[in-house]
Coordinates of all heavy atoms in Angstrom, one line a residue:
M489 N -96.3 68.5 34.9 CA -96.7 69.5 33.9 C -95.5 69.6 32.8 O -94.4 69.6 33.2 CB -96.9 70.8 34.6 CG -97.3 71.9 33.6 SD -97.8 73.4 34.6 CE -97.7 74.7 33.4
R490 N -95.9 69.7 31.6 CA -95.0 69.8 30.5 C -94.4 71.2 30.5 O -95.1 72.2 30.7 CB -95.7 69.5 29.2 CG -94.9 68.7 28.2 CD -95.6 68.5 26.9 NE -95.5 69.7 26.1 CZ -94.5 70.0 25.4 NH1 -93.4 69.2 25.3 NH2 -94.5 71.1 24.6
Y491 N -93.1 71.3 30.2 CA -92.5 72.6 30.0 C -91.3 72.6 29.1 O -90.8 71.5 28.8 CB -92.0 73.2 31.4 CG -91.0 72.3 32.1 CD1 -89.7 72.4 31.7 CD2 -91.4 71.3 33.0 CE1 -88.7 71.6 32.3 CE2 -90.4 70.5 33.6 CZ -89.1 70.7 33.3 OH -88.2 69.9 33.8
D492 N -91.0 73.7 28.5 CA -89.8 73.8 27.7 C -88.7 74.5 28.5 O -89.0 75.1 29.6 CB -90.1 74.7 26.4 CG -90.9 73.9 25.4 OD1 -90.6 72.8 25.1 OD2 -92.0 74.4 25.0
V493 N -87.5 74.4 28.1 CA -86.4 75.0 28.8 C -85.7 76.0 27.9 O -85.4 75.7 26.7 CB -85.4 74.0 29.3 CG1 -84.2 74.6 29.9 CG2 -86.0 73.0 30.3
C494 N -85.4 77.2 28.4 CA -84.7 78.2 27.6 C -83.3 77.7 27.3 O -82.6 77.3 28.2 CB -84.6 79.6 28.3 SG -83.6 80.8 27.5
D495 N -82.9 77.7 26.0 CA -81.6 77.2 25.7 C -80.4 78.1 26.1 O -79.3 77.7 26.1 CB -81.5 77.0 24.1 CG -82.2 75.7 23.7 OD1 -82.1 74.7 24.4 OD2 -82.9 75.8 22.7
R496 N -80.8 79.3 26.5 CA -79.7 80.3 26.9 C -79.5 80.3 28.4 O -78.4 80.2 28.9 CB -80.1 81.6 26.4 CG -79.0 82.7 26.5 CD -79.3 83.9 25.7 NE -78.3 84.9 25.9 CZ -78.3 85.8 26.9 NH1 -79.3 85.9 27.7 NH2 -77.3 86.7 27.0
C497 N -80.6 80.4 29.2 CA -80.4 80.6 30.6 C -80.9 79.4 31.4 O -80.7 79.3 32.6 CB -81.1 81.8 31.1 SG -82.9 81.7 31.1
G498 N -81.6 78.5 30.8 CA -82.1 77.3 31.4 C -83.4 77.4 32.2 O -83.8 76.4 32.9
V499 N -84.0 78.6 32.2 CA -85.3 78.7 32.9 C -86.4 77.9 32.3 O -86.4 77.6 31.1 CB -85.7 80.3 32.9 CG1 -86.2 80.7 31.5 CG2 -86.8 80.5 34.0
K500 N -87.2 77.3 33.2 CA -88.3 76.5 32.7 C -89.5 77.4 32.2 O -89.9 78.3 32.9 CB -88.8 75.6 33.8 CG -87.9 74.5 34.2 CD -88.4 73.6 35.3 CE -87.4 72.6 35.7 NZ -87.9 71.8 36.8
I501 N -90.0 77.1 31.0 CA -91.1 77.9 30.4 C -92.3 76.9 30.4 O -92.3 75.9 29.7 CB -90.8 78.4 29.0 CG1 -89.5 79.2 29.0 CG2 -91.9 79.2 28.4 CD1 -88.9 79.4 27.6
P502 N -93.3 77.2 31.3 CA -94.5 76.3 31.3 C -95.2 76.2 30.0 O -95.2 77.2 29.2 CB -95.4 76.9 32.4 CG -94.9 78.3 32.6 CD -93.5 78.4 32.1
E503 N -95.9 75.1 29.8 CA -96.7 74.9 28.5 C -97.6 76.1 28.4 O -98.3 76.5 29.3 CB -97.4 73.6 28.6 CG -98.0 73.2 27.3 CD -98.6 71.8 27.3 OE1 -98.8 71.2 28.5 OE2 -98.8 71.2 26.3
G504 N -97.6 76.7 27.2 CA -98.5 77.9 27.0 C -97.8 79.2 27.4 O -98.3 80.2 27.1
G505 N -96.6 79.1 28.0 CA -95.9 80.3 28.4 C -95.3 81.0 27.2 O -95.1 80.4 26.1
L506 N -94.9 82.2 27.4 CA -94.3 83.0 26.3 C -92.9 82.5 26.0 O -92.0 82.5 26.9 CB -94.2 84.5 26.7 CG -93.8 85.5 25.6 CD1 -94.7 85.3 24.3 CD2 -93.9 86.9 26.1
K507 N -92.6 82.1 24.8 CA -91.3 81.6 24.4 C -91.1 82.0 23.0 O -92.0 82.2 22.2 CB -91.2 80.1 24.6 CG -92.0 79.3 23.7 CD -91.9 77.8 23.9 CE -92.8 77.1 22.9 NZ -93.1 75.7 23.3
Y508 N -89.8 82.0 22.6 CA -89.5 82.3 21.2 C -88.6 81.3 20.6 O -87.8 80.7 21.3 CB -88.7 83.7 21.2 CG -89.6 84.8 21.7 CD1 -89.6 85.1 23.1 CD2 -90.3 85.6 20.9 CE1 -90.4 86.1 23.6 CE2 -91.1 86.6 21.4 CZ -91.1 86.9 22.7 OH -91.9 87.9 23.2
I509 N -88.7 81.0 19.3 CA -87.9 80.1 18.6 C -86.9 80.9 17.8 O -87.4 81.7 17.0 CB -88.7 79.1 17.7 CG1 -89.9 78.6 18.4 CG2 -87.8 78.1 17.1 CD1 -89.7 77.4 19.3
V510 N -85.6 80.7 18.0 CA -84.6 81.4 17.1 C -84.1 80.4 16.1 O -83.6 79.3 16.5 CB -83.4 81.9 18.0 CG1 -82.4 82.5 17.1 CG2 -83.9 82.9 19.0
R511 N -84.3 80.6 14.9 CA -83.8 79.7 13.8 C -82.6 80.4 13.2 O -82.7 81.5 12.7 CB -84.9 79.4 12.8 CG -86.1 78.6 13.3 CD -86.8 77.9 12.2 NE -87.8 77.1 12.8 CZ -89.1 77.5 13.1 NH1 -89.5 78.7 12.8 NH2 -89.9 76.7 13.6
I512 N -81.6 79.6 13.1 CA -80.3 80.2 12.5 C -80.0 79.3 11.2 O -79.9 78.1 11.3 CB -79.2 80.2 13.5 CG1 -79.5 81.1 14.7 CG2 -77.9 80.7 12.8 CD1 -78.5 81.1 15.7
D513 N -79.9 80.0 10.1 CA -79.6 79.3 8.8 C -78.3 79.7 8.4 O -78.1 80.9 7.9 CB -80.7 79.7 7.8 CG -80.9 78.8 6.7 OD1 -80.2 77.7 6.7 OD2 -81.6 79.1 5.7
I514 N -77.3 78.9 8.5 CA -75.9 79.2 8.1 C -75.6 78.7 6.7 O -75.7 77.4 6.6 CB -74.9 78.7 9.2 CG1 -75.3 79.2 10.6 CG2 -73.5 79.1 8.8 CD1 -74.5 78.5 11.7
V515 N -75.3 79.5 5.8 CA -75.1 79.1 4.4 C -73.7 79.6 4.0 O -73.4 80.8 4.2 CB -76.2 79.6 3.5 CG1 -76.0 79.1 2.1 CG2 -77.5 79.3 4.0
A516 N -72.9 78.7 3.4 CA -71.6 79.1 2.9 C -71.8 80.1 1.7 O -72.7 79.9 0.9 CB -70.8 77.9 2.4
D517 N -71.0 81.1 1.7 CA -71.1 82.1 0.5 C -70.5 81.3 -0.7 O -69.3 81.1 -0.8 CB -70.2 83.3 0.9 CG -70.2 84.3 -0.3 OD1 -70.8 84.0 -1.3 OD2 -69.6 85.3 -0.1
D518 N -71.4 80.9 -1.6 CA -70.9 80.0 -2.7 C -70.0 80.7 -3.7 O -69.4 80.1 -4.5 CB -72.1 79.3 -3.4 CG -73.1 80.3 -3.9 OD1 -72.9 81.5 -3.9 OD2 -74.2 79.8 -4.4
D519 N -69.9 82.0 -3.6 CA -68.9 82.7 -4.5 C -67.5 82.2 -4.2 O -66.7 82.3 -5.1 CB -69.0 84.2 -4.2 CG -70.2 84.9 -4.8 OD1 -70.9 84.2 -5.6 OD2 -70.4 86.0 -4.5
N520 N -67.3 81.7 -3.0 CA -66.0 81.4 -2.6 C -65.7 79.9 -2.7 O -64.6 79.4 -2.4 CB -65.7 81.8 -1.1 CG -65.8 83.3 -1.0 OD1 -65.4 84.0 -1.9 ND2 -66.3 83.8 0.1
I521 N -66.7 79.0 -3.0 CA -66.5 77.6 -3.1 C -65.6 77.2 -4.2 O -64.6 76.5 -4.1 CB -67.8 76.8 -3.1 CG1 -68.5 77.1 -1.8 CG2 -67.6 75.4 -3.3 CD1 -69.9 76.4 -1.7
I522 N -65.9 77.6 -5.4 CA -65.1 77.3 -6.6 C -64.7 78.6 -7.3 O -65.5 79.3 -7.9 CB -65.8 76.3 -7.6 CG1 -66.2 75.0 -6.9 CG2 -65.0 76.1 -8.8 CD1 -67.0 74.1 -7.7
P523 N -63.4 78.9 -7.3 CA -63.0 80.1 -8.0 C -63.2 80.0 -9.5 O -63.2 79.0 -10.1 CB -61.4 80.1 -7.8 CG -61.2 79.1 -6.7 CD -62.3 78.2 -6.7
E524 N -63.5 81.2 -10.1 CA -63.9 81.2 -11.5 C -62.7 80.8 -12.4 O -62.9 80.2 -13.5 CB -64.4 82.6 -11.9 CG -65.8 82.8 -11.4 CD -66.3 84.3 -11.7 OE1 -65.8 84.9 -12.7 OE2 -67.2 84.7 -11.1
D525 N -61.5 81.2 -12.0 CA -60.4 80.9 -12.9 C -59.6 79.7 -12.6 O -58.4 79.5 -12.8 CB -59.4 82.1 -12.8 CG -58.9 82.4 -11.4 OD1 -59.5 81.8 -10.5 OD2 -58.0 83.2 -11.2
I526 N -60.4 78.7 -12.0 CA -59.7 77.4 -11.6 C -59.4 76.6 -12.9 O -60.2 76.5 -13.9 CB -60.7 76.6 -10.7 CG1 -59.9 75.5 -10.0 CG2 -61.9 76.1 -11.4 CD1 -60.7 74.9 -8.8
T527 N -58.2 75.9 -12.9 CA -57.9 75.0 -14.0 C -58.5 73.6 -13.7 O -58.9 73.3 -12.6 CB -56.3 74.8 -14.1 OG1 -55.9 74.2 -12.9 CG2 -55.7 76.2 -14.2
D528 N -58.5 72.7 -14.7 CA -59.0 71.4 -14.6 C -58.3 70.6 -13.5 O -58.8 69.9 -12.8 CB -59.0 70.6 -15.9 CG -60.1 71.1 -16.9 OD1 -61.0 71.9 -16.4 OD2 -60.0 70.8 -18.1
E529 N -56.9 70.8 -13.5 CA -56.1 70.1 -12.6 C -56.4 70.5 -11.1 O -56.6 69.7 -10.2 CB -54.6 70.3 -12.8 CG -54.0 69.7 -14.1 CD -54.4 70.5 -15.3 OE1 -54.7 71.7 -15.3 OE2 -54.5 69.8 -16.4
E530 N -56.6 71.8 -10.9 CA -57.0 72.3 -9.6 C -58.3 71.8 -9.2 O -58.6 71.5 -8.0 CB -56.9 73.8 -9.6 CG -55.5 74.4 -9.6 CD -55.5 75.9 -9.9 OE1 -56.5 76.5 -10.5 OE2 -54.5 76.6 -9.5
L531 N -59.3 71.7 -10.2 CA -60.6 71.2 -9.8 C -60.6 69.8 -9.4 O -61.2 69.4 -8.5 CB -61.5 71.4 -11.1 CG -63.0 71.2 -10.8 CD1 -63.6 72.1 -9.7 CD2 -63.8 71.3 -12.1
D532 N -59.8 69.0 -10.2 CA -59.6 67.5 -9.8 C -59.0 67.4 -8.4 O -59.5 66.6 -7.6 CB -58.7 66.8 -10.8 CG -59.4 66.6 -12.2 OD1 -60.6 66.7 -12.2 OD2 -58.7 66.3 -13.2
A533 N -58.0 68.2 -8.1 CA -57.4 68.1 -6.8 C -58.4 68.5 -5.7 O -58.5 67.9 -4.7 CB -56.2 69.1 -6.7
M534 N -59.2 69.5 -6.0 CA -60.3 69.9 -5.0 C -61.3 68.8 -4.8 O -61.6 68.5 -3.7 CB -60.9 71.2 -5.6 CG -61.8 71.9 -4.6 SD -62.7 73.3 -5.3 CE -61.5 74.6 -4.9
I535 N -61.7 68.2 -5.9 CA -62.7 67.1 -5.8 C -62.2 65.9 -5.0 O -62.8 65.4 -4.2 CB -63.3 66.7 -7.2 CG1 -64.1 67.8 -7.8 CG2 -64.1 65.4 -7.1 CD1 -64.5 67.7 -9.2
S536 N -60.9 65.5 -5.3 CA -60.4 64.4 -4.6 C -60.2 64.7 -3.1 O -60.3 63.9 -2.3 CB -59.1 63.9 -5.2 OG -58.1 64.9 -5.2
G537 N -59.9 66.0 -2.8 CA -59.8 66.5 -1.4 C -61.1 66.4 -0.7 O -61.2 65.9 0.4
I538 N -62.2 66.7 -1.5 CA -63.6 66.7 -0.9 C -64.0 65.2 -0.5 O -64.6 65.0 0.5 CB -64.6 67.3 -1.8 CG1 -64.4 68.9 -1.9 CG2 -66.0 67.0 -1.5 CD1 -65.2 69.6 -3.0
K539 N -63.6 64.3 -1.4 CA -63.9 62.9 -1.2 C -63.4 62.3 0.1 O -64.0 61.4 0.7 CB -63.4 62.0 -2.4 CG -64.2 62.2 -3.6 CD -63.6 61.3 -4.7 CE -64.2 61.6 -6.1 NZ -63.4 61.1 -7.2
E540 N -62.3 62.9 0.6 CA -61.8 62.4 1.9 C -62.6 62.9 3.1 O -62.4 62.4 4.2 CB -60.3 62.9 2.0 CG -59.4 62.3 1.0 CD -58.0 62.9 1.0 OE1 -57.7 63.6 1.9 OE2 -57.3 62.8 0.0
F541 N -63.5 63.9 2.9 CA -64.3 64.4 4.0 C -65.4 63.5 4.3 O -66.0 62.9 3.4 CB -64.8 65.8 3.7 CG -63.7 66.9 3.9 CD1 -63.1 67.4 2.8 CD2 -63.4 67.3 5.1 CE1 -62.2 68.4 2.9 CE2 -62.5 68.3 5.3 CZ -61.8 68.9 4.2
D542 N -65.9 63.5 5.5 CA -67.1 62.8 5.9 C -68.3 63.6 5.3 O -68.3 64.9 5.5 CB -67.1 62.9 7.5 CG -68.5 62.5 8.0 OD1 -69.4 62.0 7.3 OD2 -68.6 62.6 9.3
P543 N -69.2 63.0 4.6 CA -70.3 63.7 3.9 C -71.1 64.6 4.8 O -71.5 65.7 4.5 CB -71.1 62.6 3.3 CG -70.3 61.4 3.3 CD -69.3 61.5 4.3
D544 N -71.3 64.1 6.1 CA -72.1 64.9 7.0 C -71.4 66.1 7.4 O -72.0 67.2 7.5 CB -72.4 64.1 8.3 CG -73.4 62.9 8.0 OD1 -74.1 63.0 7.0 OD2 -73.5 62.0 8.9
M545 N -70.1 66.0 7.6 CA -69.3 67.2 7.9 C -69.3 68.2 6.7 O -69.4 69.4 6.9 CB -67.8 66.8 8.2 CG -67.1 67.9 9.0 SD -65.4 67.4 9.2 CE -64.6 67.8 7.7
L546 N -69.2 67.7 5.5 CA -69.2 68.5 4.3 C -70.5 69.3 4.2 O -70.5 70.5 4.0 CB -68.9 67.6 3.1 CG -68.5 68.4 1.8 CD1 -67.1 69.1 2.1 CD2 -68.4 67.4 0.7
E547 N -71.6 68.6 4.5 CA -72.9 69.2 4.4 C -73.0 70.3 5.4 O -73.5 71.4 5.2 CB -74.0 68.1 4.7 CG -75.4 68.6 4.9 CD -76.0 69.4 3.8 OE1 -75.6 69.1 2.6 OE2 -76.9 70.2 4.0
R548 N -72.5 70.1 6.7 CA -72.5 71.1 7.7 C -71.7 72.3 7.3 O -71.9 73.4 7.7 CB -72.1 70.5 9.0 CG -73.1 69.7 9.8 CD -72.7 69.5 11.2 NE -71.4 68.9 11.4 CZ -71.2 67.5 11.4 NH1 -72.3 66.7 11.2 NH2 -70.0 67.0 11.5
D549 N -70.6 72.0 6.6 CA -69.7 73.1 6.1 C -70.4 74.1 5.2 O -70.1 75.2 5.1 CB -68.5 72.6 5.4 CG -67.2 72.7 6.3 OD1 -67.4 73.0 7.5 OD2 -66.2 72.4 5.8
V550 N -71.3 73.5 4.4 CA -72.0 74.3 3.3 C -73.3 74.9 3.8 O -73.7 76.0 3.5 CB -72.3 73.4 2.1 CG1 -73.0 74.2 1.0 CG2 -70.9 72.9 1.5
H551 N -74.1 74.1 4.6 CA -75.4 74.6 5.1 C -75.7 73.9 6.4 O -75.6 72.7 6.6 CB -76.5 74.2 4.1 CG -77.8 74.6 4.5 ND1 -78.9 73.9 4.3 CD2 -78.2 75.8 5.0 CE1 -80.0 74.5 4.8 NE2 -79.6 75.7 5.2
Q552 N -76.1 74.8 7.4 CA -76.4 74.2 8.7 C -77.6 75.0 9.2 O -77.6 76.3 9.2 CB -75.2 74.4 9.6 CG -75.4 73.6 10.9 CD -74.1 73.6 11.7 OE1 -73.1 74.2 11.4 NE2 -74.1 72.8 12.8
E553 N -78.6 74.3 9.7 CA -79.8 74.9 10.4 C -79.8 74.6 11.8 O -79.6 73.5 12.2 CB -81.1 74.4 9.7 CG -81.3 74.9 8.4 CD -82.7 74.3 7.8 OE1 -83.4 73.8 8.6 OE2 -82.9 74.5 6.6
L554 N -80.0 75.7 12.7 CA -80.0 75.5 14.1 C -81.3 76.1 14.6 O -81.8 77.1 14.0 CB -78.8 76.2 14.8 CG -77.4 75.8 14.3 CD1 -76.4 76.8 14.9 CD2 -77.1 74.4 14.7
A555 N -81.8 75.6 15.7 CA -83.0 76.2 16.3 C -82.9 76.2 17.8 O -82.4 75.2 18.4 CB -84.3 75.4 15.8
F556 N -83.3 77.2 18.4 CA -83.2 77.3 19.9 C -84.5 77.9 20.5 O -85.1 78.7 19.8 CB -82.0 78.3 20.3 CG -80.7 77.8 19.7 CD1 -80.2 78.4 18.6 CD2 -79.9 76.9 20.4 CE1 -78.9 78.0 18.1 CE2 -78.7 76.4 19.9 CZ -78.2 77.0 18.7
I557 N -84.8 77.5 21.7 CA -85.9 78.1 22.4 C -85.3 79.2 23.4 O -84.4 78.9 24.1 CB -86.7 77.0 23.2 CG1 -87.3 76.0 22.2 CG2 -87.7 77.7 24.1 CD1 -87.9 74.8 22.9
L558 N -85.9 80.3 23.3 CA -85.5 81.4 24.3 C -86.7 81.9 25.1 O -87.8 82.0 24.6 CB -84.9 82.6 23.5 CG -83.6 82.3 22.7 CD1 -83.1 83.6 22.1 CD2 -82.5 81.8 23.6
C559 N -86.4 82.3 26.3 CA -87.4 83.0 27.1 C -87.5 84.4 26.7 O -86.6 84.9 25.9 CB -87.1 82.9 28.6 SG -85.6 83.7 29.1
K560 N -88.4 85.2 27.2 CA -88.6 86.6 26.7 C -87.3 87.4 27.1 O -86.8 88.2 26.2 CB -89.8 87.2 27.4 CG -90.0 88.6 27.0 CD -91.4 89.1 27.5 CE -91.6 90.6 27.3 NZ -91.2 91.2 26.1
R561 N -86.8 87.2 28.3 CA -85.6 88.0 28.7 C -84.4 87.7 27.8 O -83.7 88.6 27.3 CB -85.3 87.7 30.1 CG -84.2 88.6 30.7 CD -84.0 88.2 32.2 NE -83.3 86.9 32.2 CZ -82.1 86.7 32.7 NH1 -81.4 87.7 33.1 NH2 -81.6 85.5 32.7
C562 N -84.2 86.4 27.5 CA -83.0 86.0 26.6 C -83.3 86.5 25.2 O -82.3 86.8 24.5 CB -82.8 84.5 26.7 SG -82.1 84.0 28.3
K563 N -84.5 86.5 24.7 CA -84.8 86.9 23.4 C -84.5 88.4 23.3 O -83.9 88.8 22.3 CB -86.3 86.7 23.1 CG -86.8 87.2 21.7 CD -87.5 88.5 22.0 CE -88.3 89.0 20.8 NZ -88.8 90.3 21.0
E564 N -84.8 89.2 24.3 CA -84.5 90.6 24.3 C -82.9 90.8 24.2 O -82.4 91.6 23.4 CB -85.0 91.4 25.5 CG -86.5 91.3 25.7 CD -87.2 92.1 24.6 OE1 -86.7 93.0 24.0 OE2 -88.4 91.7 24.3
Q565 N -82.2 90.1 25.0 CA -80.8 90.2 25.1 C -80.1 89.7 23.7 O -79.2 90.3 23.2 CB -80.2 89.4 26.2 CG -80.5 90.1 27.6 CD -80.1 89.3 28.8 OE1 -79.5 88.2 28.6 NE2 -80.4 89.8 29.9
F566 N -80.7 88.6 23.2 CA -80.2 88.1 21.9 C -80.4 89.1 20.8 O -79.5 89.3 20.0 CB -80.9 86.7 21.6 CG -80.4 86.1 20.3 CD1 -79.3 85.4 20.3 CD2 -81.2 86.3 19.1 CE1 -78.8 84.8 19.1 CE2 -80.7 85.7 18.0 CZ -79.6 85.0 17.9
T567 N -81.5 89.7 20.7 CA -81.8 90.6 19.6 C -80.9 91.9 19.8 O -80.5 92.5 18.8 CB -83.2 91.1 19.5 OG1 -83.7 91.5 20.8 CG2 -84.1 89.9 19.1
R568 N -80.5 92.3 21.0 CA -79.6 93.4 21.2 C -78.2 93.1 20.9 O -77.4 93.9 20.4 CB -79.7 93.9 22.7 CG -80.7 94.9 22.9 CD -80.4 95.7 24.2 NE -80.0 94.9 25.3 CZ -80.8 94.5 26.3 NH1 -82.1 94.8 26.2 NH2 -80.3 93.8 27.3
D569 N -77.8 91.8 21.2 CA -76.4 91.5 21.0 C -76.2 90.0 20.7 O -75.8 89.2 21.5 CB -75.7 91.8 22.4 CG -74.2 91.6 22.3 OD1 -73.6 91.4 21.2 OD2 -73.5 91.6 23.3
P570 N -76.6 89.6 19.4 CA -76.7 88.2 19.1 C -75.4 87.4 19.2 O -75.3 86.2 19.5 CB -77.2 88.2 17.6 CG -77.1 89.6 17.2 CD -77.0 90.5 18.3
F571 N -74.2 88.1 19.1 CA -72.9 87.4 19.2 C -72.3 87.6 20.5 O -71.1 87.3 20.7 CB -72.0 87.9 18.0 CG -72.6 87.5 16.7 CD1 -73.2 88.5 15.9 CD2 -72.6 86.2 16.3 CE1 -73.7 88.1 14.6 CE2 -73.2 85.9 15.0 CZ -73.7 86.8 14.2
N572 N -73.0 88.1 21.5 CA -72.5 88.3 22.8 C -71.2 89.0 22.9 O -70.2 88.6 23.5 CB -72.4 86.9 23.5 CG -72.4 87.0 25.0 OD1 -72.9 88.0 25.6 ND2 -71.7 86.1 25.6
T573 N -71.2 90.2 22.2 CA -70.0 91.0 22.1 C -69.8 91.9 23.3 O -68.9 92.6 23.5 CB -69.9 91.8 20.8 OG1 -71.1 92.6 20.8 CG2 -69.9 91.0 19.6
M574 N -70.9 91.8 24.2 CA -70.9 92.6 25.4 C -70.8 94.1 25.2 O -70.2 94.8 26.0 CB -69.7 92.2 26.3 CG -69.6 90.7 26.6 SD -70.9 90.1 27.7 CE -70.1 90.4 29.2
K575 N -71.4 94.6 24.1 CA -71.4 96.0 23.8 C -72.0 96.8 24.9 O -71.5 97.8 25.4 CB -72.1 96.3 22.5 CG -71.2 96.3 21.3 CD -72.0 96.6 20.0 CE -72.7 95.4 19.5 NZ -73.4 95.6 18.3
D576 N -73.1 96.3 25.5 CA -73.8 97.0 26.6 C -72.9 97.1 27.8 O -72.8 98.1 28.4 CB -75.1 96.2 26.9 CG -76.2 96.4 25.9 OD1 -76.0 97.3 25.0 OD2 -77.2 95.7 26.0
K577 N -72.2 95.9 28.1 CA -71.4 95.9 29.3 C -70.2 96.9 29.1 O -69.8 97.6 30.0 CB -70.9 94.5 29.5 CG -70.1 94.4 30.8 CD -69.7 92.9 31.1 CE -69.1 92.8 32.5 NZ -68.0 93.6 32.7
L578 N -69.6 96.9 27.9 CA -68.5 97.8 27.7 C -68.9 99.3 27.9 O -68.2 100.1 28.5 CB -68.0 97.7 26.2 CG -67.3 96.4 25.9 CD1 -66.9 96.3 24.4 CD2 -66.0 96.3 26.8
N579 N -70.1 99.6 27.5 CA -70.6 101.0 27.8 C -70.7 101.3 29.3 O -70.3 102.4 29.7 CB -72.0 101.2 27.1 CG -71.9 101.3 25.6 OD1 -70.8 101.5 25.1 ND2 -73.0 101.0 25.0
I580 N -71.1 100.3 30.1 CA -71.2 100.4 31.5 C -69.8 100.6 32.1 O -69.5 101.5 32.9 CB -71.9 99.2 32.2 CG1 -73.4 99.2 31.8 CG2 -71.8 99.3 33.7 CD1 -74.1 97.9 32.1
D581 N -68.9 99.8 31.6 CA -67.5 99.9 32.1 C -66.9 101.3 31.8 O -66.2 101.8 32.6 CB -66.6 98.8 31.5 CG -66.9 97.4 32.0 OD1 -67.6 97.4 33.1 OD2 -66.5 96.4 31.4
E582 N -67.2 101.8 30.6 CA -66.6 103.1 30.3 C -67.2 104.2 31.2 O -66.5 105.1 31.7 CB -67.0 103.5 28.8 CG -66.1 102.8 27.8 CD -66.6 102.9 26.4 OE1 -67.5 103.7 26.2 OE2 -66.2 102.1 25.6
G583 N -68.5 104.0 31.6 CA -69.1 104.9 32.5 C -68.4 104.8 33.9 O -68.2 105.9 34.5
W584 N -68.1 103.6 34.3 CA -67.4 103.5 35.6 C -66.1 104.1 35.7 O -65.7 104.8 36.6 CB -67.3 102.0 36.0 CG -68.6 101.4 36.4 CD1 -69.7 102.0 36.8 CD2 -68.9 100.0 36.5 NE1 -70.7 101.2 37.1 CE2 -70.3 99.9 36.9 CE3 -68.2 98.8 36.3 CZ2 -70.9 98.7 37.2 CZ3 -68.8 97.6 36.5 CH2 -70.1 97.6 37.0
S585 N -65.3 103.9 34.6 CA -63.9 104.4 34.6 C -64.0 106.0 34.5 O -63.2 106.6 35.1 CB -63.1 103.9 33.4 OG -63.7 104.4 32.2
G586 N -65.1 106.5 33.9 CA -65.3 107.9 33.9 C -65.4 108.5 35.3 O -65.0 109.6 35.6
E587 N -66.1 107.7 36.2 CA -66.3 108.2 37.6 C -65.0 108.2 38.4 O -64.9 109.0 39.3 CB -67.3 107.3 38.3 CG -68.7 107.5 37.8 CD -69.7 106.4 38.4 OE1 -69.4 105.9 39.5 OE2 -70.7 106.1 37.8
L588 N -64.0 107.4 38.0 CA -62.8 107.4 38.8 C -61.9 108.6 38.5 O -61.1 108.9 39.4 CB -62.0 106.1 38.4 CG -62.6 104.8 38.8 CD1 -61.8 103.6 38.2 CD2 -62.7 104.7 40.3
H589 N -62.1 109.3 37.4 CA -61.2 110.4 37.1 C -61.6 111.7 37.9 O -62.7 111.9 38.2 CB -61.3 110.7 35.6 CG -60.6 109.6 34.8 ND1 -59.3 109.3 34.8 CD2 -61.1 108.6 34.0 CE1 -59.0 108.3 34.1 NE2 -60.1 107.9 33.5
Ligands
ZN923 ZN1 -83.7 82.5 29.0

């Protein structure tokens, strides 16, 4: 039987099962790529510096698209704390330290 795998926890999601696709579109803030008050010499230096980079790496630096499959549980956790800052866990820890006093 065909199945997908949750990219976060590894659980198998059977074909037709509930799953979510998380698409992440990372785009460089182009305000910061070329300063407005740049001189021609600085621009030339910047361009020659860029030529030394691998074009694929340069493309990833400016724009990158990622996609992940998540199960329902991981989707709930991801939407609550996408960067895994453990905010929920910190609240629990504070509660525990409160009990010690
Ligand atoms: Zn999962």
